[in-house]
Amino acid sequence: AQTVTQSQPEMSVQEAETVTLSCTYDTSENNYYLFWYKQPPSRQMILVIRQEAYKQQNATENRFSVNFQKAAKSFSLKISDSQLGDTAMYFCAFMTARYGSRLTFGEGTQLTVNP
Amino acid sequence: DARVTQTPRDKVTEMGQEVTMRCQPILGHNTVFWYRQTMMQGLELLAYFRNRAPLDDSGMPKDRFSAEMPDATLATLKIQPSEPRDSAVYFCASGLAGYNEQFFGPGTRLTVL
């Protein structure tokens, strides 16, 4: 079974600064995907970024980037130039590469961006 | 703009009543997932379907929950009878088998009094 752990229940950052959210996971699989989802107060789950485990290069999406350390089973999210609209709950999630598999989520980190 | 739709958005009901939540997956998607979000348990998978057939419903309490896909454009999740511990946000997500992205609906917030 896979597990995902987010050890930071809450974090805060000043607008325009950089913040890093941590995530670790446990799996015996070799092929898998990792995701960061954002859930603002509207409760809509929004995909922020994804990483394929077979790719060594870290994924980036505009101000969002990840630090994927496969051997350490670590997958952190860096948000640069934080904006007020980044205030949300952030979930790290895991999916095996098997056909049509489920998402396993971490507990979430509530990020608040302060003006 | 293709998106997953869910109805109702919010539901308040009395303990013991039947609750039905509906989901319309994105047209062409052949995999549908039901997740439940609570403060205590976080986000957890209840069941999922591929090509309308249930693949896994091990996360679902069998005695009171049932999930079906009457057709490719509709997935339903029923609770009968409902209990206060069922209060949660229920998300539907859809995707294409072989692709790793799941698209989430806006969720149904269920409150059982």
Side-chain angles (χ1 to χ4, degrees):
Chain A
Q2 291 79 30
T3 59
V4 179
T5 303
Q6 294 176 249
S7 58
Q8 305 152 314
E10 296 180 353
M11 293 193 72
S12 62
V13 64
Q14 292 299 120
E15 197 174 6
E17 294 189 346
T18 296
V19 64
T20 298
L21 280 57
S22 300
C23 172
T24 58
Y25 59 95
D26 191 26
T27 184
S28 58
E29 308 236 354
N30 195 46
N31 290 328
Y32 50 87
Y33 304 95
L34 294 162
F35 306 84
W36 279 97
Y37 279 87
K38 168 185 176 180
Q39 186 179 40
S42 67
R43 80 175 182 236
Q44 179 69 52
M45 295 289 288
I46 302 165
L47 178 63
V48 174
I49 198 166
R50 91 189 84 190
Q51 174 79 42
E52 292 88 346
Y54 65 85
K55 290 186 177 179
Q56 291 189 337
Q57 186 172 7
N58 289 323
T60 62
E61 286 288 342
N62 302 313
R63 298 182 295 106
F64 299 88
S65 62
V66 298
N67 183 3
F68 173 48
Q69 302 288 329
K70 189 173 184 180
K73 295 181 180 173
S74 169
F75 182 61
S76 60
L77 174 69
K78 185 171 82 171
I79 306 174
S80 304
D81 186 25
S82 297
Q83 301 176 0
L84 296 179
D86 295 334
T87 293
M89 182 73 85
Y90 287 81
F91 291 97
C92 178
F94 173 100
M95 177 194 289
T96 69
R98 281 174 284 153
Y99 196 59
S101 186
R102 70 186 67 190
L103 286 166
T104 299
F105 289 91
E107 304 91 337
T109 296
Q110 175 63 48
L111 175 68
T112 302
V113 180
N114 298 308
Chain B
D1 184 23
R3 60 182 67 190
V4 177
T5 59
Q6 288 186 249
T7 56
R9 182 157 176 83
D10 295 276
K11 174 74 174 178
V12 180
T13 191
E14 300 273 336
M15 182 174 65
Q17 296 298 304
E18 177 177 303
V19 175
T20 298
M21 291 169 270
R22 294 178 173 81
C23 167
Q24 183 171 10
I26 292 173
L27 190 65
H29 283 187
N30 62 351
T31 308
V32 174
F33 302 82
W34 283 104
Y35 293 91
R36 177 171 64 182
Q37 184 178 29
T38 62
M39 290 294 292
M40 294 300 294
Q41 301 296 326
L43 278 153
E44 54 184 352
L45 180 75
L46 294 177
Y48 78 98
F49 294 76
R50 184 178 307 137
N51 298 324
R52 297 176 54 200
L55 284 193
D56 187 349
D57 61 1
S58 59
M60 206 164 64
K62 302 291 192 304
D63 56 340
R64 299 182 300 107
F65 284 59
S66 63
E68 297 179 344
M69 282 201 72
D71 61 60
T73 63
L74 177 65
T76 62
L77 180 65
K78 291 186 181 180
I79 308 174
Q80 169 63 24
S82 58
E83 298 181 1
R85 59 179 167 154
D86 301 328
S87 296
V89 178
Y90 291 81
F91 286 102
C92 174
S94 73
L96 268 175
Y99 293 84
N100 56 60
E101 184 166 359
Q102 294 180 21
F103 296 80
F104 282 77
T108 293
R109 180 182 299 279
L110 174 65
T111 303
V112 183
L113 303 174

